[in-house]
Amino acid sequence: MLDDRNRWMASLPTAASALVTDLADVRVRGYLKEHPDIVAHNLDRITAAVAEVRAVVDRERAAGAWGPLEADVAAEHDEAAAEFADHSCDCPFCVCAT
């Protein structure tokens, strides 16, 4: 049985995974396969998480405690995305499941 913290930690990846599928449905089919209330529920969870993290990003940027970033954020993201795309697993939740 999951405690509240672990339930919360499992909730966001579940909603994010659904978002990826929902976005693919919209882009490929032009419509949702899931009921809009289900999609909205997941979007609410993601939106709340983004707002919470964005507030901390803004606060820490404003505080000036971080020096300039020397990494190429886009290149590092593309590398991580390529690594993700190249993997395969048996997880029923993974978009790369084989």
Side-chain angles (χ1 to χ4, degrees):
M1 187 71 170
L2 294 175
D3 62 22
D4 286 343
R5 181 178 49 131
N6 287 329
R7 189 177 353 273
W8 175 82
M9 290 294 290
S11 176
L12 189 58
T14 302
S17 180
L19 172 61
V20 171
T21 301
D22 297 334
L23 180 58
D25 290 341
V26 169
R27 287 188 173 181
V28 173
R29 292 180 177 83
Y31 59 88
L32 296 170
K33 288 190 327 183
E34 294 288 340
H35 191 283
D37 290 349
I38 295 170
V39 175
H41 174 79
N42 289 326
L43 289 174
D44 290 346
R45 291 179 179 269
I46 293 166
T47 301
V50 168
E52 183 176 344
V53 174
R54 175 68 64 194
V56 175
V57 165
D58 293 345
R59 183 181 73 221
E60 292 192 11
R61 280 180 171 164
W66 294 83
L69 182 64
E70 296 181 18
D72 182 342
V73 178
E76 288 187 11
H77 174 82
D78 291 347
E79 184 178 317
E83 184 178 338
F84 177 79
D86 285 343
H87 94 281
S88 63
C89 70
D90 295 336
C91 175
F93 304 105
C94 182
V95 296
C96 296
T98 56

